[in-house]
Amino acid sequence: HNPLAQESIALQNVRMELLRNPFVIHFLHTYHSLRKLPDIVFAPYYLVPSKLPSYTIYITPANISMLNSYLPDDPINGYLHDENRAWVDAIFIVGDYKEKVQVKYRGTNANHWNSFQKSWRIKFPVAHLFKGMSSFDLIVPYDREYFAEALNFYRAQKLGLTSLDMSFARVNINGIDMGVYSEIERYNNQWLS
């Protein structure tokens, strides 16, 4: 009878009970947005011109509604299974590149889709690849520990190891600046050859 284990179970039960409360469920999205408030420290960087590439994505409201209809009911512990991930049409623009693409929410865990900034998977047409990629992921940076994974990819490249390309990009969806994302190339057959 470990007292720490019993206390942990009791706290988990209290947490689960709170997450079933309709009032808590109603304000859950606000909580997830507010927990990013410490990012205010970086506000002065809004005044400095960015050298990051800027991606513009247009998704119709009907297509966003379709994507949202596939999300799990539980915004905390829900799990987005592969069969519940729908592809929808979108327009992707960066510089001179403008193409009709397919997009869907990316990530199985709730932190990728339960707050304002969501993770995305983008698939490009075979006839018009983007930077030689048929698809890539735009992932919320805190899921990848901001720069830790980028540093590991950099180290792998310096050691001569094969690794995926990872960079950062600023993303605008339907006229709304969604902030900075981690852009990570997808494993595919072209990458392996």
Side-chain angles (χ1 to χ4, degrees), residues 25-96:
I25 291 170
H26 181 76
F27 287 101
L28 203 52
H29 291 290
T30 304
Y31 161 75
H32 284 289
S33 294
L34 288 176
R35 79 177 184 189
K36 297 176 188 168
L37 198 55
D39 291 348
I40 197 76
V41 171
F42 302 103
Y45 288 99
Y46 281 107
L47 305 174
V48 177
S50 174
K51 295 179 183 176
L52 293 177
S54 182
Y55 299 159
T56 302
I57 303 171
Y58 292 106
I59 310 168
T60 65
N63 283 346
I64 290 175
S65 292
M66 183 198 292
L67 290 173
N68 290 340
S69 71
Y70 284 94
L71 293 176
D73 292 332
D74 184 351
I76 297 293
N77 298 314
Y79 188 83
L80 186 58
H81 297 279
D82 285 337
E83 63 270 10
N84 290 338
R85 295 190 205 170
W87 288 99
V88 298
D89 291 331
I91 302 294
F92 181 85
I93 304 168
V94 57
D96 293 336

Side-chain angles (χ1 to χ4, degrees), residues 2 25 40 42 44 48-49 57 77 96 119 125 137-138 155 164 167 170 182 190:
N2 185 345
I25 291 170
I40 197 76
F42 302 103
V48 177
I57 303 171
N77 298 314
D96 293 336
S119 293
D137 292 339
L138 293 170
R155 288 176 179 158
L164 295 173
S167 58
R170 191 164 200 99
S182 298
Q190 294 94 353

Side-chain angles (χ1 to χ4, degrees), residues 52 139-159 161-169 180-185:
L52 293 177
I139 302 174
V140 290
Y142 64 85
D143 182 66
R144 299 302 167 127
E145 298 173 1
Y146 292 94
F147 64 88
E149 190 167 26
L151 180 60
N152 288 335
F153 283 141
Y154 173 78
R155 288 176 179 158
Q157 289 172 350
K158 286 296 182 187
L159 292 171
L161 302 172
T162 303
S163 68
L164 295 173
D165 285 335
M166 180 181 177
S167 58
F168 295 97
V180 174
Y181 278 81
S182 298
E183 173 191 332
I184 302 177
E185 181 181 10

